[in-house]
Amino acid sequence: MSAAAGAGEKERGRLHVAVLVLGDVGRSPRMQFHAASLAAQDWVESVALVGTEGSACMETVRNNAKTREVRIAEPVTSRLPRKLLLLYAPVKILQQIAQLLGALLRDPKLDVVLVQNPPCIPTFVVLALLRFLRGTRIVIDWHNLGFTILALSFPQRGERHPAVRVAKIYEQTLGWLIGDTHFCVTAALKRWLVAEVGTPDAKVHVLYDKPPAMFHPLKVTEQHEFWERLGDTVSRGRGNIFTATSGESEPPHVVKDRPALIVSSTSWTPDEDFGILLAALAKLDANPDVAKRGIICVVTGKGPQRDMYMDKVRELGLKHVAVETLWLEHEDYPLLLACMDVGVCLHTSSSGLDLPMKVVDMFGAGIPVCAVDFPCLDELVRHEENGLVFRTEAQLADQLHSLLFASDSDRRLRALRRGVQATVAERWDRHWNKFAGPPIKALGHRRGAPVFWFICFAIFLEAVYVWNVRKM
């Protein structure tokens, strides 16, 4: 085979992939990591990152020649109250179906769609059409179960509500029908798909969230650079009160008795009870040990319950604890985490089968985490090894005191940090290349569209019949 022919064969063998998020793709780091990893493969020709308008994607995605963003507008119903969901849902779904079909049918060469679930309404319907009309391969990345999130909207009946029951049947049936390959964020979620849905075990792969290289511990010099630039955002206009230099020729050092730094990343949704953290901070505020240094608790994220909880913060009248809310650029968020002492995770999971990615980010930055307990958490956070697990606000307050204000706090933090380093020894790129790349590559090109051609053939036969009848 000539070199030109070999190059042409290689070109034809490359896959065209779409990464689909029915939401603000700029706020879905895992799917952006998927896009970046796919773009790094020599067997991928192009990657389209499809999602709604909103936050900017990370720089590694924006600046990649193989990757392009396809943004669709938010539905016209997006500003309506969620309690009216059942009334306006049909309009929202029809609009989203039209938008998604328009975005995905734009590329006639599309071979594979990697879709985030949840949400699955109406993405699974759209992908079913794409699969059976075009033969496009479908990979479902299971982050959680959509019907369990919907159940939170009906607190009195939960999963017994008729709408939730229908959503469960829809999610299970179409997920089983369209998925050529499935990724799960936990082993527990894989077991559920195999046992409850009947998905073949060989099609389901556990792909844990792993921190990419941008999440890593910082030296004091790097922390100093960050605080010099963004210290005001955390210290309420007091500048950098966390690191200092003794002279121009002296390296920076951590300021003695600076405030203890706690970080919590939240989506401000019902599956995260932020009230637990507020109650724990109120207990610490009354502790004389805390009065000596104080605490700054930085909370990152956007969501519907933010204003409600910040009103509660003001009502508490905390004297020695400050709660600051931030929304940072993608490039600054890892730096902030690496400057913190400890993280707090309030995620409880609507299904009990997923894990909080925010903990993975904190581990990548080198900080231990206090996490509220729920089923399958031990797949990530192991008590007294890389973090601490709590169930009540009293336990959380005691844990934060022991890590930040007790006589042996430094020793305990160092021990947990060693456990964190062992947990994240394998980073996203290596993990993805091992567990996600091979099954996607094995799918190959779309298989053609037997249903589509069958319909075309049937229309052709009908036309021939009508033509012959008219001739008679």
Side-chain angles (χ1 to χ4, degrees):
M1 182 184 294
S2 68
E9 184 66 28
K10 184 177 181 181
E11 183 71 22
R12 287 192 296 274
R14 292 174 178 165
L15 300 180
H16 296 260
V17 184
V19 177
L20 172 60
V21 182
L22 189 57
D24 183 355
V25 68
R27 294 175 61 186
S28 183
R30 178 177 167 104
M31 301 311 286
Q32 293 183 65
F33 297 158
H34 273 302
S37 295
L38 283 163
Q41 309 304 312
D42 58 7
W43 44 268
V44 172
E45 177 67 19
S46 67
V47 180
L49 189 55
V50 184
T52 58
E53 296 172 346
S55 306
C57 287
M58 57 187 65
E59 190 175 350
T60 53
V61 172
R62 296 196 309 267
N63 297 339
N64 195 301
K66 281 189 181 180
T67 305
R68 60 186 174 88
E69 295 182 40
V70 180
R71 299 289 188 124
I72 59 178
E74 284 280 0
V76 294
T77 58
S78 60
R79 290 184 175 85
L80 295 178
R82 188 168 178 80
K83 61 184 178 182
L84 301 177
L85 175 64
L86 293 180
L87 296 178
Y88 63 75
V91 175
K92 176 181 178 180
I93 289 171
L94 288 174
Q95 181 183 354
Q96 289 177 326
I97 289 174
Q99 289 175 314
L100 290 174
L101 283 174
L104 295 172
L105 291 175
R106 188 180 304 174
D107 184 358
K109 298 179 181 179
L110 186 60
D111 297 301
V112 179
V113 176
L114 171 58
V115 59
Q116 172 184 307
N117 180 54
C120 61
I121 301 174
T123 51
F124 280 10
V125 167
V126 172
L127 295 178
L129 290 171
L130 205 63
R131 188 179 194 273
F132 289 109
L133 296 181
R134 274 189 162 185
T136 305
R137 305 285 194 158
I138 308 299
V139 180
I140 304 176
D141 194 27
W142 296 81
H143 296 197
N144 201 347
L145 299 176
F147 71 89
T148 64
I149 296 176
L150 179 61
L152 296 175
S153 300
F154 308 101
Q156 293 183 339
R157 302 189 66 181
E159 292 187 21
R160 294 181 289 108
H161 192 282
V164 179
R165 290 181 177 181
V166 171
K168 181 178 181 180
I169 294 171
Y170 165 91
E171 186 170 17
Q172 290 181 328
T173 304
L174 279 184
W176 174 84
L177 185 65
I178 68 173
D180 293 291
T181 295
H182 304 260
F183 297 137
C184 299
V185 294
T186 65
L189 185 49
K190 173 179 178 173
R191 290 192 295 269
W192 187 90
L193 281 177
V194 172
E196 300 295 327
V197 183
T199 310
D201 184 85
K203 282 188 173 184
V204 188
H205 310 271
V206 178
L207 184 69
Y208 287 115
D209 284 320
K210 296 286 184 179
M214 68 178 71
F215 291 92
H216 59 83
L218 296 181
K219 298 176 181 178
V220 176
T221 303
E222 295 169 313
Q223 292 185 29
H224 182 70
E225 292 174 357
F226 175 80
W227 288 129
E228 285 292 299
R229 184 164 54 88
L230 291 174
D232 275 343
T233 61
V234 174
S235 66
R236 296 186 177 180
R238 291 179 290 169
N240 179 10
I241 61 173
F242 311 103
T243 59
T245 55
S246 301
E248 292 185 3
S249 60
E250 296 294 323
H253 60 272
V254 176
V255 173
K256 185 180 180 182
D257 293 331
R258 65 152 172 78
L261 293 168
I262 300 171
V263 64
S264 182
S265 179
T266 179
S267 53
W268 303 98
T269 51
D271 64 347
E272 295 183 345
D273 186 359
F274 194 71
I276 294 177
L277 177 56
L278 292 188
L281 292 176
K283 289 179 180 294
L284 289 168
D285 191 62
N287 190 304
D289 293 336
V290 176
K292 300 173 184 177
R293 294 173 55 196
I295 295 174
I296 296 178
C297 180
V298 179
V299 185
T300 68
K302 296 179 180 178
Q305 295 186 337
R306 177 188 177 277
D307 291 341
M308 178 188 76
Y309 277 114
M310 291 313 295
D311 287 341
K312 291 184 177 181
V313 170
R314 286 185 281 271
E315 291 171 5
L316 288 174
L318 302 173
K319 296 179 180 179
H320 309 295
V321 177
V323 179
E324 303 294 337
T325 59
L326 298 178
W327 177 255
L328 297 172
E329 296 296 329
H330 287 293
E331 291 72 26
D332 286 329
Y333 177 59
L335 304 179
L336 173 77
L337 293 185
C339 292
M340 299 290 108
D341 295 318
V342 65
V344 173
C345 176
L346 304 167
H347 178 86
T348 53
S349 176
S350 60
S351 65
L353 298 173
D354 73 315
L355 290 170
M357 189 172 184
K358 65 198 73 177
V359 172
V360 178
D361 295 339
M362 293 173 187
F363 280 175
I367 64 172
V369 173
C370 296
V372 65
D373 194 20
F374 67 90
C376 89
L377 179 66
D378 59 354
E379 290 191 40
L380 178 61
V381 181
R382 291 177 288 279
H383 189 65
E384 294 286 1
E385 182 178 328
N386 56 16
L388 301 175
V389 178
F390 64 89
R391 291 186 176 88
T392 67
E393 62 265 24
Q395 289 178 333
L396 175 58
D398 289 342
Q399 290 174 1
L400 291 174
H401 183 273
S402 69
L403 293 177
L404 301 172
F405 298 99
S407 58
D408 62 343
S409 291
D410 290 342
R411 179 189 61 80
R412 295 199 69 193
L413 276 176
R414 284 195 301 270
L416 291 177
R417 285 178 184 271
R418 286 193 294 270
V420 166
Q421 291 172 0
T423 302
V424 296
E426 184 175 66
R427 294 294 175 132
W428 170 265
D429 289 342
R430 183 178 177 185
H431 189 69
W432 192 95
N433 288 333
K434 187 187 302 183
F435 295 105
I440 295 177
K441 183 180 181 181
L443 293 176
H445 294 274
R446 59 192 179 96
R447 297 162 294 179
V451 176
F452 175 77
W453 291 115
F454 176 81
I455 294 173
C456 290
F457 184 65
I459 294 173
F460 171 78
L461 290 179
E462 181 68 17
V464 170
Y465 173 78
V466 171
W467 183 74
N468 281 311
V469 168
R470 286 180 177 177
K471 284 186 64 178
M472 293 175 61

